[in-house]
Amino acid sequence: MDNLNLTQHTSHRFNEELEDVRNRVLQMGGLVEQQVNNGLKALLEFDSELGEQVVNKDHQINAMEVEIDELCTQVLARRQPAASDLRLVVMVIKTITDLERIGDEAEKLGRVAISLSSQSRRPAYYAELRHLGEHVKAVLRDTLDAFARMDVNAALKTAKQDGDIDREYDTLSRLLISHMMEDPREVRNILEVSWCARALERIGDHANNICEYVVYLVHGKDIRHTQSRSE
Amino acid sequence: MSTYTAPPTPSTESAATTAEAPDLDAQLASFTGTVGDVRVADAKMSMTDVDVHYGTAQAIHGVSLDLGKNEVMAMIGPSGCGKSTFLRCLNRMNDTIEICNVSGSLTLDGEDIYDRSQDVVLLRARVGIVFQKPNPFPKTIYDNVAYGPRIHGLASSKSTLDDIVEQSLRRASLWEEVKDRLDKPGTGLSGGQQQRLCIARTIAVSPEVILMDEPCSALDPIATAKIEELIDELGKNYTIAIVTHSMQQAARVSDRTAYFHLGRLVEVGVTNDIFTNPTHQLTENYITGRFG
């Protein structure tokens, strides 16, 4: 997919550098997606071993962020990119920050999974948590697809789901509060689950940001902070 | 939820070109008139449907463009795109080329500069030009700057002339470097200093418009930075049109940028927009280095 014509510069080395940057972001996105999926799985299935894996893998994502940042700095210094090339580098620098934070949220899921793994039975509210988690996973996957294909329409469609995620999070929060009131002995556990719900909601926000960067990259239009309050 | 909806894909994108095989016909087919606003509210110079022929070969095809008051306009484009030819029309430097024929309307403050009654020497005092290679007269530094004011009778006394020379050299940021050797030949200065001397010579006759034809291409980065600083400074009081091969330079110094290609003015716009989000695919290809 080369709708940015990344391979058509007069300088072949410039082509390679931009391709390299883009491929590494895709790679980083793949790893982040895997971390979120595993973190959620570990949490929902009380799998402490998988939780450990997620926690131990987060440093890989951090290292990739640093690496890609360095590459982008080099491209800026050596190539002085303009127009779509410039927008690509700028959006990549922002995108990897959001990806790294998604990685941090996944790590949180992993940590809570470890701490809750001693539980034997699945609490009632886990169905809602699973639902929110599946929704966030789908949004993250669609976001990374939109980035890979530089597909503005897909990005806009995906960005529109952030409101749904926020509403699901609110509903789940209310549910958790009522469970806490019903059974104060569970407060500690429910608080942990509440942090996970929060982490999932944040992942949705970061995915939303990346969708906005895709629009900026392809159309040069910054659509951040343009949503109306009523939505 | 965002309220942004994607605009339809512009038809110009079909004209994407590759570095390996620039297809001139496809590029021409994608040109359907200048993109962007060629007119400004307070135009100093206004050009309409300018055609330039060298003999039977047409170098400029129907270019319309305004230069605003106190505006720095950068003209960019690949070699042979007609940007220098167009620049030279603005003070009739092309008159010296016998086979060159300029048609269309070119006005300075609303007056036709190609009118029969137009005094070309006076026009060139009002619309000065700085060339690619510094070309000081084989005279002293002082005489280089004083030459214009003398022939145009701008100084009534020696002290007025001294003032003009000092002021011009100061404005060209050269005074501190040459004030102790004004009687030495201008050709003894460094390349960057010579170019600033030529700019001092140009502004000594109080022009209204300054044309610059690749003024920094023979200079090192430090001298270039000084000239660019000077353009920033002069841009506050003069209308400046600069032709440059350095896109970074165009991006740094200009308020608006015009992109020429194959003798057409493809796109003109605010410099910030041109370098972050150009509209026409040809502009995009050029500023991102996508054809040679």
Side-chain angles (χ1 to χ4, degrees):
Chain A
M1 219 49 178
D2 186 31
N3 45 4
L4 287 177
N5 301 330
L6 286 186
T7 57
Q8 296 187 354
H9 294 92
T10 307
S11 160
H12 287 283
R13 199 196 278 188
F14 191 17
N15 287 342
E16 288 163 16
E17 287 170 5
L18 289 179
E19 270 291 317
D20 187 25
V21 166
R22 183 164 164 271
N23 288 337
R24 285 186 198 222
V25 176
L26 291 175
Q27 223 180 337
M28 183 178 176
L31 185 57
V32 165
E33 190 182 5
Q34 190 191 51
Q35 284 282 90
V36 171
N37 293 353
N38 287 343
L40 190 67
K41 192 167 177 230
L43 180 70
L44 294 174
E45 296 178 4
F46 305 113
D47 187 341
S48 68
E49 206 175 307
L50 190 57
E52 291 275 2
Q53 271 182 32
V54 171
V55 171
N56 292 336
K57 230 178 186 178
D58 186 53
H59 73 95
Q60 285 186 23
I61 295 178
N62 298 346
M64 289 184 94
E65 185 197 16
V66 173
E67 239 174 67
I68 298 171
D69 240 346
E70 172 71 25
L71 270 179
C72 288
T73 309
Q74 282 174 14
V75 170
L76 286 174
R78 298 170 63 133
R79 303 286 176 188
Q80 289 101 46
S84 59
D85 298 337
L86 176 65
R87 298 202 302 272
L88 175 69
V89 175
V90 169
M91 83 81 85
V92 163
I93 291 173
K94 287 163 178 273
T95 298
I96 57 175
T97 306
D98 279 294
L99 285 178
E100 191 271 333
R101 295 207 178 140
I102 293 177
D104 288 347
E105 303 296 347
E107 189 195 350
K108 276 185 207 164
L109 297 181
R111 284 195 190 285
V112 174
I114 297 168
S115 125
L116 292 184
S117 61
S118 57
Q119 297 214 0
S120 52
R121 83 191 159 83
R122 200 157 293 182
Y125 45 79
Y126 256 47
E128 274 79 4
L129 186 65
R130 177 189 294 277
H131 189 260
L132 176 65
E134 291 300 329
H135 197 172
V136 168
K137 266 163 68 178
V139 162
L140 181 59
R141 189 186 56 236
D142 292 348
T143 299
L144 294 171
D145 279 354
F147 173 79
R149 301 196 183 112
M150 301 301 164
D151 184 340
V152 171
N153 290 322
L156 286 170
K157 206 173 138 201
T158 309
K160 285 194 172 121
Q161 297 191 41
D162 192 42
D164 298 340
I165 290 180
D166 289 347
R167 275 187 290 277
E168 279 172 38
Y169 167 69
D170 287 342
T171 310
L172 180 55
S173 291
R174 276 196 299 275
L175 185 70
L176 292 176
I177 289 171
S178 64
H179 278 291
M180 278 194 244
M181 290 190 298
E182 278 168 24
D183 188 357
R185 284 169 306 176
E186 277 288 299
V187 164
R188 192 191 158 86
N189 285 345
I190 296 176
L191 265 182
E192 299 231 53
V193 171
S194 165
W195 287 331
C196 290
R198 176 72 182 156
L200 290 169
E201 188 267 340
R202 290 300 297 151
I203 292 173
D205 290 345
H206 290 302
N208 184 50
N209 289 347
I210 296 173
C211 289
E212 290 172 345
Y213 305 150
V214 170
V215 176
Y216 170 72
L217 169 61
V218 179
H219 286 158
K221 173 106 182 148
D222 194 339
I223 59 162
R224 286 175 304 168
H225 312 299
T226 51
Q227 55 265 67
S228 66
R229 282 276 148 225
S230 61
E231 282 173 330
Chain B
M1 190 188 300
S2 170
T3 51
Y4 179 76
T5 47
T9 313
S11 60
T12 50
E13 281 186 8
S14 60
T17 52
T18 63
E20 288 77 21
D23 181 348
L24 294 187
D25 289 338
Q27 288 173 14
L28 276 181
S30 77
F31 177 76
T32 52
T34 304
V35 175
D37 233 343
V38 296
R39 300 297 173 207
V40 293
D42 51 347
K44 182 71 191 172
M45 296 192 78
S46 187
M47 279 59 70
T48 309
D49 296 332
V50 174
D51 286 336
V52 179
H53 290 83
Y54 290 112
T56 53
Q58 189 165 1
I60 299 282
H61 298 256
V63 170
S64 297
L65 184 65
D66 278 0
L67 301 183
K69 279 200 177 75
N70 304 338
E71 170 182 74
V72 180
M73 167 72 81
M75 299 177 184
I76 59 171
S79 294
C81 69
K83 55 195 188 296
S84 287
T85 299
F86 184 72
L87 188 82
R88 286 151 176 268
C89 294
L90 303 184
N91 72 346
R92 295 182 57 173
M93 289 303 291
N94 287 333
D95 287 15
T96 57
I97 303 167
E98 220 163 273
I99 57 166
C100 181
N101 178 29
V102 179
S103 65
S105 153
L106 299 92
T107 64
L108 172 62
D109 287 335
E111 292 166 32
D112 182 3
I113 60 172
Y114 279 80
D115 193 78
R116 277 173 189 282
S117 63
Q118 176 68 55
D119 177 346
V120 178
V121 175
L122 192 64
L123 172 70
R124 290 180 192 150
R126 291 177 70 192
V127 184
I129 189 162
V130 178
F131 295 98
Q132 179 177 7
K133 246 184 107 185
N135 54 351
F137 301 136
K139 292 169 177 283
T140 65
I141 293 169
Y142 183 96
D143 285 340
N144 260 284
V145 184
Y147 182 81
R150 274 196 190 121
I151 62 163
H152 289 289
L154 297 178
S156 51
S157 67
K158 174 80 170 86
S159 69
T160 325
L161 192 58
D162 287 351
D163 274 353
I164 292 177
V165 170
E166 181 177 340
Q167 283 312 313
S168 304
L169 286 169
R170 277 191 191 281
R171 301 192 71 172
S173 334
L174 191 60
W175 176 252
E176 292 301 326
E177 291 161 60
V178 301
K179 63 183 178 191
D180 299 322
R181 48 172 173 153
L182 292 174
D183 56 344
K184 297 286 189 303
T187 48
L189 296 171
S190 75
Q193 288 172 327
Q194 287 188 20
Q195 193 65 307
R196 277 179 285 150
L197 178 63
C198 292
I199 292 174
R201 186 179 64 190
T202 304
I203 57 186
V205 293
S206 306
E208 296 155 46
V209 180
I210 302 175
L211 310 176
M212 296 185 173
D213 193 354
E214 297 177 41
C216 300
S217 55
L219 304 183
D220 72 55
I222 306 284
T224 300
K226 285 186 178 169
I227 302 281
E228 288 178 3
E229 173 68 17
L230 185 57
I231 293 171
D232 276 345
E233 192 56 36
L234 295 174
K236 292 174 191 161
N237 302 306
Y238 299 92
T239 295
I240 297 177
I242 175 170
V243 163
T244 174
H245 273 302
S246 160
M247 279 171 296
Q248 279 76 40
Q249 179 168 61
R252 285 191 298 260
V253 302
S254 67
D255 302 311
R256 285 198 303 153
T257 298
Y259 173 64
F260 287 76
H261 190 78
L262 298 171
R264 278 82 174 170
L265 176 55
V266 172
E267 182 166 354
V268 58
V270 175
T271 299
N272 279 342
D273 294 342
I274 295 278
F275 284 93
T276 57
N277 192 18
T279 305
H280 203 287
Q281 189 67 36
L282 288 173
T283 318
E284 167 96 21
N285 286 351
Y286 180 67
I287 66 171
T288 58
R290 280 182 169 82
F291 51 61

